[in-house]
Amino acid sequence: MSTPADHKPLRNPPKVPPVPRPSSSVLLISPTNQILLLHRVKKASSFAAAHVFPGGALSKTHDGEIPDVDHPGRHQDGPAYRMAAVRETFEECGILLAKSKKTGKLFTDISDEEREEGRKAVHAGKVKFGELLEKWGANPDTEALVPFTRWITPPNVPKRFSTQMYIYFLPLGSVSPTKKTAPTGTPPASGIEEEDEIVIPNPTHDGGIEHTAARFLPPNKWIDLARQNRIILFPPQFFLTLMLSPYLSSTVTSPSSPIPSPSELALEREKLLDFLSKPRAYEGKPEVSFAEACISPIVLGKGEYGDQSQDGVGGVDKYTAVLVLDGPGKEVESQGQGRRGIREWVVTTKFKGEGPRDVGVRRREEVLGKGWGSGKL
């Protein structure tokens, strides 16, 4: 089991950092362009007490051959990462990202009971995921996964992952068979309770419960809740959700807000995909695409931004950590493929006992000044 300390930088990191475990994660977009987050509890095996995207470690049994530690494909999008993304989403929230062999549409050809039995069997290792799909007459919809950055945990953190992030759009007009509405009379305390939610079983791992519920909310709503410190979002989840917020369900600001029409929802998706794919530049230099970006956040020490006698040029106080996102990590650098992270933004946060708080994303020059780190990755 992990605690928030497993994700907090160590003051005295080991000389030989842990090898990052290959993993996949999915930003699952609902038919109304809202995003799914799972709420983990304190005994979860990773990201304890936080809200996270569905995902988890690759499995050779279920997902196929995993590239070796020194293989060029170890930290790149590939078949095993895509299969793991589909499998982990199914295990963690019960939504199967697969297409029916009969119809070619989203697979819904089984009962809820059979779906849950299969989900538990895969989670327990009683059946291979691919064999279950074959039995059901379904193909994993790996081609529809849109790469959306890779994140490698910094070397000074106890538990490390090399996580390939994807976006998956559920078909417009579809409804998950597990979707339920909050009970009538639920108090509108936080803006969460009134929303529809997916109520999922509590799968156990290493003897503990991983998460309690999963909910679709507009990206801007998740960001608001995190900024109010009412939920915990780790820097990758906060950053990626924030990147989606101007494009998906941006007009849905409360439960009473009208849902955009199907044509408006389709246009939102088109604009987001255009943003993700079009060439970008920062300070006159080309920026890597979101599909290719490989990010290993580095926490700057005091004196590395602003003057040593001050708290930082961007109003960042001495209790706030500044994470730069432009480096891919030593594991990727050593492969000599020239991969890069993203220079345009930095993440600010305060590492508390329960996890990161006051997480924010700001433009690099606002905090570090123009031209900071020139010549560095």
Side-chain angles (χ1 to χ4, degrees):
M1 299 301 173
S2 78
T3 68
D6 290 320
H7 308 280
K8 184 177 180 180
L10 297 171
R11 292 184 178 180
N12 299 304
K15 293 182 179 180
V16 180
V19 175
R21 294 185 63 189
S23 65
S24 296
S25 195
V26 179
L27 284 74
L28 186 60
I29 308 303
S30 77
T32 55
N33 285 354
Q34 301 187 17
I35 189 170
L36 178 69
L37 288 179
L38 311 178
H39 185 200
R40 295 191 182 275
V41 294
K42 293 182 179 180
K43 293 183 179 180
S45 61
S46 60
F47 298 101
H51 279 73
V52 299
F53 309 128
L58 272 60
S59 165
K60 187 175 182 179
T61 299
H62 294 293
D63 308 322
E65 195 67 29
I66 301 173
D68 291 334
V69 173
D70 297 324
H71 191 279
R74 179 75 170 193
H75 304 289
Q76 293 183 356
D77 175 28
Y81 281 101
R82 288 177 175 254
M83 191 66 163
V86 174
R87 175 183 55 79
E88 283 287 343
T89 300
F90 178 58
E91 286 188 37
E92 292 208 328
C93 71
I95 297 177
L96 183 58
L97 309 182
K99 289 187 175 181
S100 170
K101 291 184 178 181
K102 294 180 180 179
T103 66
K105 297 181 179 180
L106 186 70
F107 181 77
T108 57
D109 301 347
I110 55 174
S111 66
D112 287 348
E113 291 75 15
E114 189 174 0
R115 179 188 300 267
E116 286 305 305
E117 287 178 5
R119 178 183 170 193
K120 292 177 181 178
V122 172
H123 184 80
K126 295 180 179 179
V127 62
K128 292 183 178 180
F129 184 52
E131 293 177 355
L132 181 66
L133 294 182
E134 185 66 27
K135 174 186 173 182
W136 284 348
N139 289 320
D141 194 15
T142 54
E143 293 183 1
L145 293 165
V146 180
F148 186 38
T149 69
R150 173 176 292 269
W151 293 72
I152 299 179
T153 313
N156 60 334
V157 175
K159 286 193 174 184
R160 302 185 68 210
F161 298 90
S162 177
T163 304
Q164 179 63 54
M165 300 286 189
Y166 298 100
I167 296 175
Y168 186 95
F169 296 99
L170 289 169
L172 294 173
S174 65
V175 177
S176 169
T178 59
K179 190 173 183 180
K180 297 182 180 180
T181 303
T184 302
T186 301
S190 67
I192 291 181
E193 292 85 347
E194 309 96 312
E195 301 288 345
D196 291 345
E197 69 174 22
I198 295 176
V199 180
I200 58 175
N202 296 329
T204 58
H205 180 70
D206 291 340
I209 298 174
E210 287 288 336
H211 47 268
T212 58
R215 291 188 175 93
F216 281 109
L217 283 178
N220 63 64
K221 187 64 177 180
W222 286 122
I223 293 298
D224 287 345
L225 292 170
R227 283 173 171 163
Q228 296 167 23
N229 287 327
R230 295 164 78 171
I231 64 171
I232 295 174
L233 290 182
F234 277 78
Q237 286 77 16
F238 187 97
F239 178 82
L240 296 179
T241 302
L242 183 67
M243 292 296 104
L244 298 187
S245 62
Y247 299 94
L248 300 180
S249 297
S250 60
T251 61
V252 180
T253 57
S254 72
S256 60
S257 297
I259 299 297
S261 67
S263 60
E264 291 172 328
L265 293 169
L267 184 59
E268 287 181 354
R269 295 183 175 192
E270 289 178 13
K271 289 182 177 179
L272 172 60
L273 291 173
D274 180 64
F275 167 71
L276 297 180
S277 61
K278 70 180 181 182
R280 299 182 303 111
Y282 177 68
E283 292 187 341
K285 297 180 180 179
E287 275 274 65
V288 67
S289 71
F290 281 99
E292 294 295 328
C294 183
I295 301 170
S296 185
I298 297 298
V299 180
L300 299 182
K302 188 170 176 58
E304 293 188 64
Y305 57 96
D307 296 328
Q308 291 191 20
S309 60
Q310 298 177 349
D311 289 332
V313 297
V316 179
D317 63 43
K318 63 182 179 181
Y319 304 106
T320 299
V322 177
L323 285 69
V324 291
L325 311 177
D326 53 353
K330 291 185 177 180
E331 289 87 359
V332 174
E333 288 178 356
S334 66
Q335 294 180 344
Q337 297 179 3
R339 298 186 67 188
R340 294 178 291 145
I342 294 175
R343 298 182 66 246
E344 188 171 354
W345 295 282
V346 298
V347 175
T348 58
T349 186
K350 296 177 180 177
F351 290 107
K352 301 288 187 178
E354 70 274 17
R357 291 296 192 178
D358 298 332
V359 183
V361 174
R362 298 176 60 182
R363 289 184 63 84
R364 185 187 186 96
E365 71 273 11
E366 293 178 0
V367 177
L368 304 179
K370 289 187 177 181
W372 186 94
S374 297
K376 297 182 181 181
L377 280 176

